[in-house]
Each structure stands twice: as structure tokens, then as C-alpha cells.
Amino acid sequence: MSLRPAPEWTGRIDGAGDEHLRWHSAVRPFTDAPGPGAVVVGFASDAGVRRNHGRPGAADGPDALRAALGPLALQQPLSIEDAGTVVVGGDALEAGQALLATTVTTALDAGRLPVVLGGGHEVAYGTYCGLAASRIRSGRKVAIVNLDAHFDLREADRATSGTPFRQILLEERARGAEVRYAVAGIARTGNTRALFDTATRLGVTHLLDEDCTHERTIDFVDEVLDWADLVYLTIDLDVLPAATAPGVSAPAGLGVPLTVVHAAVRRVAESGKLAVADVAELNPAYDIDARTARTAARLIDTIVTTSSRTNRRHRSGCPCRR
């Protein structure tokens, strides 16, 4: 287990001015000097997927996501940094999650928006622990908004990609912290009755994939945003239809349309409450023409660019949704 330094970003070059700006020319290595902006950090792990008896390959997700992000055009200069990649070797999942948490906390305490590039959905436990340990967490209500076909509330002897939100809820509530978990995109056929019962017992709200129209999904997200002070947004790419996202650990039989997922992501990003985000379960070995990676890159771009615009309005005193 190690933190691999940020790679050199590459992509198309059309010219030297800001009018030709792309992600690869905007990204700089992360420093913990205080200031605004976003920082990406990779989490190269499929140890949790293996423990959950899924198909491995998500450990290659961070590199594929950087490759898809690099060529994307930026309409204005942004502060984007790269903190490198937590590489989980063998079965050292817990140590990898702890290192990820430390990296996320450092970024948050420096004033950045961390965006974690997974990796299996075991990334969620590390991402959240980083938020929980940060200065901005103290005394605030945190909502986890998960766009996912699965609850990931399994009970197991050790952590897997199917256990992170059960771990988070039980540990946070034992400490008396105010945390709420809401999932949009749940597949009835992908979650047993026991998991639905666990969700009910833990006070989890959810919206089924078949009910995820644009209006109902935005209403679902808005209700969570109205309650929360801070939001952790986590996107499991298996929430999308298999035709849109074939390169995932568990392709969807139905899925939520990309336009609806994108609208939900944008809604959270423009709320002014987004503290941290991650994208999970990209499995490049099963992708087709980098279709899943490109889709995920577009969602990440929306998170970063929308949050940046929203934060600039907040700093200038412009009234907007909080």
C-alpha cells in the first residue's frame, strides 16, 4: 500500500492561451497551501470487490479516468490539482482506506474539494472517513447522496465493496454524529429483501431505478439537500444502463438514464453544500471504446466546474441556494 505520485497529464494541444484550455493543461500537483479549487486523488483498489465476489479490474479505474479527463475542454481557468493515487496492494484494503482518508482530510483542511477516482466502491469508506476527520465536519449534519444500483449495506466479517455505508452509519451514530444516507437508482433485482430491511432499520431513504424520472430524482435530491449542511456525493457507475456504462463490476439490467444522473450530480454541485465526491466501479477491462470512462469523466467535469462557479458566487456574495 502506497501513495503513488501524480502522473503527468496529457491530451490534445490546440494552442497556448486560455481559449485552448483543457484539463490536462490545467492540472497541477497538489500542495496543501490554503486556497480554493479541486483536487483529484486516485484509489487503485479492487480488494473490496474481490472480497465481495465481484469481477476484479476496478483497480485500473483511476488511470482510465485521468486519461478520459485529460482532453476535456475547460471554458475558463480553474484550480485543479492531483494528489496522486493510493495503491492498495494485495489485500491491504483497510490500510489503503486509512491512507485515502488522510489524503482527503488534508485536501479538505486546505480548502479544496476532493474528488476521488475509484476503484471499487470500498472507496466510500475511506472518502467518508476523510470528511469525518476534517475541520469542516465538526458540528455539521452530513448527508451521503449515493447514485447506485445497490445499497452497499451488507453485514460481513470484514470490509468489502458491499459494506461501506453500513460501516459509516453504525460508526457515526455510535459517536452521536448527525448523518443521513440516501440512494437513488436502487435495483429491486440487485438487492435482497434482507438488504431492504437493513435500509429501513437504518433509516436509509431510497428511490428505485424504475422510479428515477427527472422530476422525482431532483425532488429526492432536493429533500436531502434541504436537511444537510454538508454533502458527500458518491457515484457508482453501475447505476447507469449497461449500454451507457458497460465497463463496470456489475452492469445494470435497467439502470438510470445518463441525463437523469447528470441532472442529479449538477443539482448537488450547485447547492454550495458539496464537500467531497467520488466515482466508483469503473472496470476498464470490460469497457467498450472507453465509453464508461468518458461518461464518468463528463460527470466529474460537471462536479468540478459547477462547484467552482457556485463557490465563486458565494465568495462574491451572490445569493444562491445553500
Side-chain angles (χ1 to χ4, degrees), residues 5 41 54 88 167 203 207 235 243 271 273 282 292 306:
V41 53
V88 178
Q167 294 175 262
L207 189 62
I235 305 168
S271 70
K273 297 181 177 184
L282 172 62
T292 314
T306 304

Side-chain angles (χ1 to χ4, degrees), residues 71-87:
L72 298 186
L74 291 170
Q75 300 306 309
Q76 57 190 9
L78 293 178
S79 174
I80 308 172
E81 296 171 311
D82 191 336
T85 298
V86 174
V87 179

Side-chain angles (χ1 to χ4, degrees), residues 149-152 154 186-193 195-196 209:
H150 306 96
F151 284 114
D152 291 342
R154 291 182 180 276
I186 289 293
R188 288 186 296 102
T189 52
N191 298 269
T192 63
R193 166 59 72 180
L195 289 170
F196 276 95
D209 53 4

Side-chain angles (χ1 to χ4, degrees), residues 142-153 165 169 173 179-187 191 195-209 211-212 216-217 219-225 227-228 234:
V142 176
I144 303 167
V145 175
N146 184 16
L147 304 176
D148 197 340
H150 306 96
F151 284 114
D152 291 342
L153 292 170
F165 302 107
L169 291 176
R173 291 175 182 178
V179 59
R180 178 173 174 181
Y181 177 42
V183 198
I186 289 293
N191 298 269
L195 289 170
F196 276 95
D197 290 344
T198 297
T200 299
R201 186 169 65 253
L202 294 176
V204 177
T205 56
H206 72 275
L207 189 62
L208 295 176
D209 53 4
D211 296 327
C212 281
R216 290 191 66 176
T217 304
D219 285 347
F220 180 83
V221 170
D222 279 348
E223 197 275 331
V224 179
L225 291 173
W227 176 86
T234 180

Side-chain angles (χ1 to χ4, degrees), residues 156-173:
D157 294 336
R158 56 181 182 164
T160 76
S161 61
T163 65
F165 302 107
R166 180 187 180 91
Q167 294 175 262
I168 291 166
L169 291 176
L170 293 180
E171 291 175 13
E172 284 289 77
R173 291 175 182 178

